[in-house]
Amino acid sequence: MTTTTTGTRAAKAVGTAHTRVEGRDKVTGAARYAGEIPFAGLAHGWLVLSTITRGRIRSVETEAVTGMPGVLMVLHHGNAPRVDTDYVGMLGMPPDPTVAVFQHDRVPHAGWPVALVVAETSEQAREAAEALVVRYEEEPHDVTFAGEYPDAHAVAGPSGAGVEEKGDLEAELAASDVVLDAVYSTPEEHHNSMEPHAVTALWDGGRLEVVDSNQGTLWVAGELANLFSLDPASVRVRSEHVGGGFGSKGVRAHQVAAVMAATALSRPVRVVMTRRQMFSLAGYRSPTTQRVRLGADAEGRLRALAHRCVSLTSTVYEFVESGAGPARVMYDAPAHHTANRVVPLDVPSPTFMRAPGEAPGSFALESALDELAEKCGVDPIELRLRNEPEVGPVSGLPFATRNLPACFREGARRFGWAGRDARPGVRREGRWLLGTGTAAASFGARAMPSTAAVTAEADGTFTVRINAADIGTGARTALTLVAADALEVPTGRVRVRIGDSDFGPAMIAGRSMGTRSWAWAVTAAAEELRERLVLSGVVPAEGITVRSDTTEAIGALTQKERHSFGAQFAEVAVDVSTGEVRVRRMLGVFAAGRIVNPLTARGQLVGGMTWGISMALHEEAVRDRRTGALYGPDLAGYHVSTNADVPVVEAEWVDDPDPDDPVGFKGIGEIGIVGAAAAIANAVWHATGVRHRSLPIRPDRVLTAGPHA
Ligand code: MOS
């Protein structure tokens, strides 16, 4: 027995910069990722993807490869076990049939998984996979997304993602002094995390053990239990370190294939996606076509707002990129119509990608606001302030906090917005035309129920166990600070263990709700433990553990619109003779609740803004109409912003307390990208006088965009 002291710590950890608690392990290589953890008797699976875009598999010619060195088996639709897809998963959605591998002979898109070759080594599996002949009956396909699709079907979707309408749109447009009607488009974009998707599956004493790279172990465990009709308690998924996810790391084809092979072979099987396979199997952001109609009085006050977003989905699953979402939060008008619609094509299923809906939606909406400001002759910040809503435009609920004006005020001050000459195309520096632009950002800031356990150890340290996922955000470190404050001990006495489905239910790392939701549960358990220790500081050898469950507390929170907000600023230089656009500087000022760890928070926000540069200027996956596959599906062919493209990018924040909320944190996972591309596009207009409504703003688009001011 030992006596543990609490309550003697001087400073608060939350709000102070803290390097990542696992940072040293990561940079020294001590941290092991899912694809590199050793297992005795490990076999390696290599996925074989379809080379056609639509049709049927006629034959999988396995005989020729089963005799190759090291080959253990070839799984395909002719011999794979059946799985069950008739369920609704943890996120309230049915499974994407793409994960139910090898169930039939249909091929609905290019890069569809048709076989898994398993061998003693990864190299042997790859060689056999590349030698495997699969014969197909090919059918015609359509992969081309273009146009506004007037007949595209409206979606019911979760959280009213389909159609929301109030007021008489045509009447309000007709009565408006200023009207804008413009179509914006964004391309297919991919979130290719540095660490590819990787899994090892094995059976251990009647339990399925899965070592994986994902955004939520219980999410993946639940999907696998459902697919294989297993008792959820007999599936354990661990995911200690994750090298990026961005929405793509849920359950995917490789985990299901690995479980099938591990079951058939009774040995551990590892499957890792290749970089190129990720472009077919990891999901992506749908391209969008968005029509925005705005009507305003002469002072720029909105009378009408219509935002219609069309995205694509696969023929096997409906995933909706709800670009019309931001309009439901940002601006009100007597006539307010928003719609998300979707068109099925012979392409892989799109999925969540950082700020799904908000990223492309804010490009269209915040570009349109800039165009309206120009037409009204009102400063773009002033125009937005004139249109600050009293309540949620669609929900009618009050905002818990809405500190967007503070973000614009602080941003304008830091960026040097005052005295900006609104005229486009009048600032020149050598071969460059210069311009500045701004845009607003918002992202939902809700919390989801989670459980946590905090143990006072006999040696005076504390162990937090929570099924959180740190996908690079710094969540593990944030939770260390949160626990230390709740326990009133220094951070050095707290260790946080995450990424294990045996730790019990918790929110996934998604929708920017992870750290906030987990912090709530950790705080609840740690505070109760501290109170117990105050009563009796004696800790037995096995420690004292307190568990929390925030289901009731979160359920009791008053219904309000809860969001983070932000103001994005960009300065660009455009060379109209080469078409080159350079971002010179960016500033984002955010109202995102209390900031837990300024160091990692800044990294997260700057990372999102950097992705905004990428989205505005570089990223675009292009499908070959003839083959139905992508051109250059790798990090050579798919252009992302790299160091030379990224100048001074600064993220700051304003105080944003929410009096109702005992935690006071909001999510910052995704808001950094929201509005960033619009701020850059608006700056390109200010530099050149030419409005770019299609992303990315490529050099050829700048060159062919017509006369520059
Ligand atoms: Mo996020 S796109 O909810 O990982």
Side-chain angles (χ1 to χ4, degrees):
M1 294 224 202
T2 24
T3 300
T4 278
T5 51
T6 60
T8 54
R9 191 186 38 84
K12 282 233 168 220
V14 169
T16 63
H18 202 299
T19 55
R20 285 165 204 261
V21 293
E22 79 287 7
R24 186 187 162 84
D25 283 350
K26 280 184 173 168
V27 297
T28 58
R32 298 277 195 155
Y33 288 80
E36 56 183 14
I37 296 170
F39 285 92
L42 181 64
H44 297 262
W46 199 276
L47 284 162
V48 178
L49 309 190
S50 71
T51 53
I52 65 159
T53 287
R54 188 182 162 87
R56 277 180 194 283
I57 303 165
R58 231 174 38 219
S59 62
V60 182
E61 306 198 344
T62 56
E63 300 78 20
V65 302
T66 45
M68 289 178 70
V71 173
L72 298 165
M73 75 179 307
V74 181
L75 268 172
H76 55 89
H77 72 280
N79 63 4
R82 299 302 98 186
V83 295
D84 183 3
T85 55
D86 186 19
Y87 67 89
V88 173
M90 179 179 165
L91 301 189
M93 297 163 80
D96 178 348
T98 307
V99 308
V101 291
F102 320 141
Q103 298 295 294
H104 53 73
D105 62 356
R106 299 255 358 134
V107 173
H109 63 72
W112 177 259
V114 295
L116 181 80
V117 178
V118 190
E120 294 290 347
T121 71
S122 171
E123 291 79 5
Q124 289 167 335
R126 178 180 193 168
E127 186 169 19
E130 287 174 355
L132 182 68
V133 172
V134 180
R135 298 196 190 281
Y136 301 94
E137 260 165 54
E138 217 173 330
E139 294 166 17
H141 59 252
D142 180 6
V143 299
T144 306
F145 179 81
E148 290 183 61
Y149 295 97
D151 302 327
H153 66 273
V155 291
S159 62
V163 175
E164 299 281 0
E165 293 185 350
K166 71 174 180 191
D168 185 336
L169 182 66
E170 300 306 329
E172 291 294 340
L173 284 170
S176 294
D177 296 309
V178 182
V179 171
L180 174 85
D181 184 347
V183 176
Y184 303 85
S185 69
T186 61
E188 176 176 329
E189 298 164 348
H190 285 256
H191 40 4
N192 241 268
S193 49
M194 284 302 287
E195 180 207 17
H197 295 59
V199 67
T200 305
L202 62 142
W203 285 94
D204 183 14
R207 273 194 110 190
L208 178 63
E209 293 271 349
V210 179
V211 174
D212 189 33
S213 176
N214 64 52
Q215 295 179 229
T217 62
L218 215 62
W219 179 21
V220 171
E223 301 277 333
L224 293 176
N226 275 311
L227 286 161
F228 291 97
S229 305
L230 299 169
D231 173 4
S234 69
V235 182
R236 182 187 192 185
V237 178
R238 280 175 290 167
S239 179
E240 192 183 359
H241 297 292
V242 182
F246 312 111
S248 77
K249 282 185 176 163
V251 71
R252 301 229 153 249
H254 65 303
Q255 293 128 327
V256 180
V259 172
M260 285 180 178
T263 307
L265 293 169
S266 298
R267 55 190 278 192
V269 174
R270 171 167 299 159
V271 181
V272 179
M273 284 188 206
T274 66
R275 182 62 64 194
R276 290 175 76 92
Q277 286 175 346
M278 284 175 70
F279 278 85
S280 298
L281 296 179
Y284 61 96
R285 193 191 310 281
S286 167
T288 67
T289 307
Q290 303 178 60
R291 184 181 183 194
V292 181
R293 282 178 289 172
L294 301 176
D297 66 19
E299 284 75 49
R301 284 184 189 83
L302 288 167
R303 299 190 62 146
L305 185 164
H307 189 166
R308 181 181 185 275
C309 178
V310 186
S311 59
L312 61 68
T313 191
S314 67
T315 58
V316 297
Y317 191 63
E318 184 173 284
F319 180 88
V320 180
E321 184 74 25
S322 26
R328 296 170 180 169
V329 175
M330 293 307 293
Y331 309 108
D332 204 353
H336 194 284
H337 290 201
T338 49
N340 293 302
R341 289 171 194 258
V342 69
V343 179
L345 292 169
D346 301 313
V347 295
S349 304
T351 193
F352 314 103
M353 176 165 143
R354 201 177 201 170
E358 276 82 358
S362 65
F363 164 66
L365 182 65
E366 293 297 318
S367 292
L369 263 284
D370 202 67
E371 297 200 46
L372 184 69
E374 173 198 349
K375 283 177 179 256
C376 295
V378 174
D379 175 80
I381 294 178
E382 176 58 28
L383 182 91
R384 287 173 173 85
L385 297 179
R386 285 181 193 176
N387 284 291
E388 271 288 282
E390 296 288 314
V391 293
V394 169
S395 71
L397 292 171
F399 289 93
T401 56
R402 187 171 169 118
N403 284 317
L404 181 61
C407 296
F408 272 117
R409 272 196 302 274
E410 179 62 9
R413 190 184 70 75
R414 284 176 178 265
F415 191 77
W417 189 263
R420 172 182 184 261
D421 182 346
R423 291 173 302 155
V426 297
R427 288 149 301 273
R428 190 175 275 282
E429 190 186 287
R431 65 189 175 99
W432 301 100
L433 286 169
L434 305 181
T436 53
T438 189
S442 70
F443 202 85
R446 293 184 300 125
M448 293 294 279
S450 296
T451 63
V454 183
T455 301
E457 309 286 0
D459 64 0
T461 63
F462 295 86
T463 305
V464 176
R465 288 180 180 81
I466 182 159
N467 191 12
D470 189 335
I471 60 174
T473 57
R476 185 189 271 106
T477 310
L479 295 176
T480 304
L481 308 192
V482 166
D485 278 4
L487 291 163
E488 298 187 358
V489 301
T491 53
R493 277 168 66 189
V494 176
R495 84 180 64 74
V496 174
R497 296 190 49 203
I498 62 171
D500 185 338
S501 60
D502 276 1
F503 291 165
M507 178 55 188
I508 64 165
R511 294 185 188 165
S512 300
M513 292 195 282
T515 295
R516 169 174 162 78
S517 303
W518 304 319
W520 198 321
V522 167
T523 301
E527 283 181 347
E528 192 188 324
L529 178 61
R530 177 169 53 82
E531 281 166 23
R532 276 207 216 168
L533 291 172
V534 168
L535 294 176
S536 160
V538 179
V539 178
E542 70 276 17
I544 301 173
T545 297
V546 170
R547 290 170 206 286
S548 65
D549 181 343
T550 57
T551 307
E552 270 183 42
I554 287 171
L557 205 56
T558 323
Q559 285 296 307
K560 286 186 179 172
E561 288 271 353
R562 295 182 193 278
H563 305 272
S564 294
F565 291 94
Q568 303 268 15
F569 294 82
E571 180 177 354
V572 303
V574 183
D575 181 341
V576 294
S577 59
T578 64
E580 185 179 3
V581 178
R582 309 287 309 188
V583 174
R584 289 202 161 179
R585 61 190 175 111
M586 278 187 90
L587 169 69
V589 177
F590 300 92
R594 281 168 71 208
I595 298 299
V596 183
N597 181 359
L599 189 68
T600 48
R602 199 162 264 120
Q604 186 72 13
L605 293 166
V606 167
M609 294 167 69
T610 301
W611 204 337
I613 298 175
S614 213
M615 180 180 168
L617 303 181
H618 305 301
E619 292 190 36
E620 178 174 34
V622 181
R623 272 185 195 277
D624 182 336
R625 288 175 189 224
R626 194 178 53 80
T627 67
L630 293 176
Y631 289 106
D634 51 44
L635 293 183
Y638 186 80
H639 190 189
V640 299
S641 292
T642 53
N643 281 13
D645 304 303
V646 181
V648 182
V649 179
E650 289 178 314
E652 291 296 339
W653 41 84
V654 297
D655 280 345
D656 186 40
D658 177 350
D660 302 341
D661 181 339
V663 181
F665 306 137
K666 289 181 180 174
I668 55 163
E670 291 162 273
I671 194 170
I673 192 174
V674 182
I680 293 166
N682 294 342
V684 170
W685 169 79
H686 189 231
T688 63
V690 174
R691 186 63 68 174
H692 287 270
R693 300 190 183 94
S694 292
L695 295 184
I697 306 173
R698 300 186 311 245
D700 63 299
R701 284 182 166 152
V702 175
L703 286 174
T704 56
H708 292 85

